[in-house]
Amino acid sequence: MKKLLISPSNMALGEQESQIYQNILKQSTEISLNLMAVKVENHPEDFLGWCYELLDVAKNRINFDLLDDHQLPTVKKLQDMLISAISFLQVKTLRIAPWPVVSEFIAERKEHLALEEQLKLMEYISTLRETPLQEMIVEDRLAFVGKHTANHDVSVYQFDVEWFASTKSAKGFHQQFADLPAEFDQALGHIPLDGTVSESDYQAFMIAYLSAFNASDEKPTLAPATRLLAMRRPDVFTPIVNNRSDALCQALGITRLNNRDFERYWTDIVQTITRMPWCAMATATNDLETELVKIKALIPTFFYYVDKYTPTSSNYYKLLHKPKRTSTASGSRSVKRSKESAATLVDRALSNENTPEHIKAKRDSIIAEVEKGRSVDETIQLMRTIFG
């Protein structure tokens, strides 16, 4: 372990990497005895590999039974620092990586990324873009802005809507968004659905977005705005993920963004990524690249740290594997839907070509049950059981 800890001192680290290394060493001091008890046989010769190895030690190989309670936050902070370092180092490669290297990197990590699920989300969003937010059912509106609810039925929303920057913690934004969706429609209307997006287009969006908060005590923040923009034009706008913002800014070589840096988002994030060689040369030579080209501004998010547990952290995965409700008397809370939402969700589920006609004939009965709070999938399965 000692050899592992000191090995980066023999690597040709840049200034940023050296500072990250020193910070990690300082964090390791309090648990140094616990770390030293771990046998290490793999000694990577590059800093990224070193971060992965030490993270594996801190997550999986350190003896947590021997840690004092006051040391647990130290271990968690060390893990977070290493995850941030890995994200920084991987995103930094985008400065010079050519397109084939970028697409291959994503293809190699598709399982850990839950890439199929993420692409399903973007395919679904593409069907919503021409519909005004105020005309969408609530579930679609929240899917667009990245807030999961129990009403996102797995038979229709076969993905976690919170991929690419969740907004669930932006309570002020969601209050305004629920009350004034037309205001946000007006803002997004300044961003063309295809072709070039100019700086003046973005500035018009920004002014309208800020104006949507004029009558509110809530302050408009950047992260939810970038989610809206990224879903409107995923080939132009990269969403800001709050817990990865520092890694992204470090990797792009820019000063850290705060959550009110609307001007700098365009110049430092959008334009910087647009000028990168891989972004300019992105072309499709296979099915995966065809999908990636459509959403090329989202690609930096695929370079953040993920592991084998990432797919199971998806809200879709959790709902899909949630224990079935045995009875309404069990204490489970049903989530009621509006009749409009229930009808829309049922119609989408019934449009599946494998749905028998005699089940489709039960549409009104299925809608009634879904409106009460039963899931679409559960209701259809119940109808199949009853009617064969």
Side-chain angles (χ1 to χ4, degrees), residues 316-336:
Y316 169 67
Y317 180 92
K318 291 174 182 176
L319 277 179
L320 203 61
H321 295 83
K322 185 179 180 180
K324 298 294 184 182
R325 183 177 55 187
T326 55
S327 72
T328 55
S330 64
S332 300
R333 182 173 61 90
S334 295
V335 184
K336 293 187 177 181

